[in-house]
Amino acid sequence: MKFSIDVLGVFLKIVIRVNRDTFAPLVVSTLFILLTSILAHCARRLVQNIVKDPFVRLLFEEAIAAAELCGCCFELIVVADNFGVATYAVYLFALTIWWSLNWGEATACPYTHIEDVIEGRGDVRKAILKTWAELGGGMLVFKYVQMYWALEISDTHKDKAVEDCSADLQVPVLYGALVEGIATCLCRLASRALGDLNPRFATAIDAFIGTSLVVAAFDYSGGYFNPVLATSLKAGCHGHSLSEFATVYWAGACAGSIVSVYLYKLPTIQEYIRGTTEVNGDSIWAGKED
């Protein structure tokens, strides 16, 4: 805990010493994302050292992962609005790799628990508890983000702490649900395939696919593909009702995830996966010689 406070103190000293008018807004956003990641990393290590019960520890890790995800993505909205989708994509790609390497068993995403229930790796009670932990972390982190935005260190944060949010949904509700559902399905299929194929750069490939799909959906539904993330960032915003929001970001994403479970079991896909792992292809495949 002391280390986290020291990190925050050093961070604020660096920021305050720089003239507000000349401090690059993108650097302000970058430092905030780095700070959020460091604090989450410290909190995760603290939980791992203190909490002994594996399931309770996982609940805390899910809450921390969700808080880190949503906290960073709040700032990524600022990056996208002011520096473009390409810059946003670069940051998201790097963060996705970081999260994959540091979250362990945590996913910060409810439909992964639904997949576990369908495939017999988990039960409904645990899935609900994990989802509540993620929602708690995702919703509480806004106070932390709001505190930072209220400092208005950069012009890009001016009035951000108090302004009303607007929906990202730019298409009819059913179209938005289809976009979220299809993209989520493709993301989950890619992740499953990469898990089975085990290519050398699986994490980077998975991050690239996910980021590409987010960018593709950005101007339609916002490209959230995660009900907790969407709830933290956009629930209650102007532009859609709560029922419309639930249809797009909860029903759409969860349906896409569930469909991916059954699609992946199709003989055609399984034959392709088995055939790929048996053939010595390009050098990206783990354990293969060039």
Side-chain angles (χ1 to χ4, degrees):
M1 183 64 70
K2 183 179 183 299
F3 175 74
S4 299
I5 295 173
D6 289 343
V7 169
L8 179 61
V10 171
F11 172 79
L12 290 175
K13 286 180 181 178
I14 293 173
V15 169
I16 291 170
R17 284 186 179 182
V18 181
N19 189 291
R20 290 188 181 187
D21 296 331
T22 60
F23 193 75
L26 185 58
V27 177
V28 174
S29 293
T30 303
L31 287 174
F32 174 73
I33 291 170
L34 288 174
L35 174 65
T36 302
S37 299
I38 291 171
L39 292 175
H41 183 74
C42 294
R44 195 174 294 114
R45 292 292 175 265
L46 184 64
V47 166
Q48 290 169 352
N49 290 331
I50 293 177
V51 182
K52 302 304 180 184
D53 183 273
F55 182 67
V56 175
R57 182 167 61 244
L58 181 57
L59 290 180
F60 277 105
E61 289 174 347
E62 288 286 7
I64 293 167
E68 181 180 4
L69 169 69
C70 298
C72 290
C73 286
F74 268 115
E75 194 61 32
L76 285 183
I77 293 176
V78 176
V79 172
D81 288 344
N82 293 278
F83 306 101
V85 177
T87 305
Y88 164 86
V90 171
Y91 276 65
L92 180 60
F93 174 74
L95 282 168
T96 303
I97 293 175
W98 166 262
W99 295 330
S100 297
L101 296 175
N102 286 273
W103 282 1
E105 295 183 20
T107 65
C109 188
Y111 54 64
T112 59
H113 316 316
I114 297 175
E115 293 176 13
D116 288 341
V117 172
I118 292 173
E119 297 183 310
R121 297 193 304 268
D123 59 60
V124 174
R125 183 185 67 86
K126 289 183 177 179
I128 292 173
L129 289 173
K130 289 177 185 177
T131 300
W132 275 112
E134 292 160 355
L135 281 169
M139 299 302 289
L140 289 174
V141 78
F142 179 65
K143 290 300 181 182
Y144 157 78
V145 175
Q146 195 175 37
M147 179 185 70
Y148 178 78
W149 282 350
L151 296 174
E152 296 190 354
I153 299 166
S154 165
D155 288 341
T156 55
H157 290 158
K158 189 172 179 59
D159 297 328
K160 287 290 291 181
V162 295
E163 73 177 8
D164 293 330
C165 63
S166 58
D168 284 340
L169 186 63
Q170 302 299 315
V171 295
V173 172
L174 291 181
Y175 290 165
L178 279 175
V179 169
E180 290 286 314
I182 292 171
T184 298
C185 182
L186 292 174
C187 277
R188 298 304 297 152
L189 286 173
S191 294
R192 287 173 176 272
L194 289 167
D196 286 342
L197 294 171
N198 192 29
R200 188 171 300 167
F201 305 108
T203 300
I205 295 170
D206 196 23
F208 178 79
I209 293 171
T211 301
S212 298
L213 287 169
V214 168
V215 171
F218 193 83
D219 291 328
Y220 299 96
S221 65
Y224 289 92
F225 315 155
N226 183 331
V228 165
L229 176 63
T231 300
S232 177
L233 270 62
K234 293 297 178 177
C237 292
H238 297 297
H240 49 46
S241 65
L242 285 177
S243 62
E244 291 172 336
F245 172 87
T247 299
V248 174
Y249 298 107
W250 278 86
C254 290
S257 171
I258 293 169
V259 169
S260 75
V261 173
Y262 295 103
L263 280 180
Y264 194 71
K265 293 179 181 178
L266 291 176
T268 303
I269 293 180
Q270 288 302 306
E271 288 174 9
Y272 173 77
I273 297 297
R274 287 196 297 269
T276 305
T277 56
E278 291 170 1
V279 176
N280 187 351
D282 296 333
S283 60
I284 64 168
W285 304 116
K288 307 289 186 182
E289 295 180 359
D290 292 337

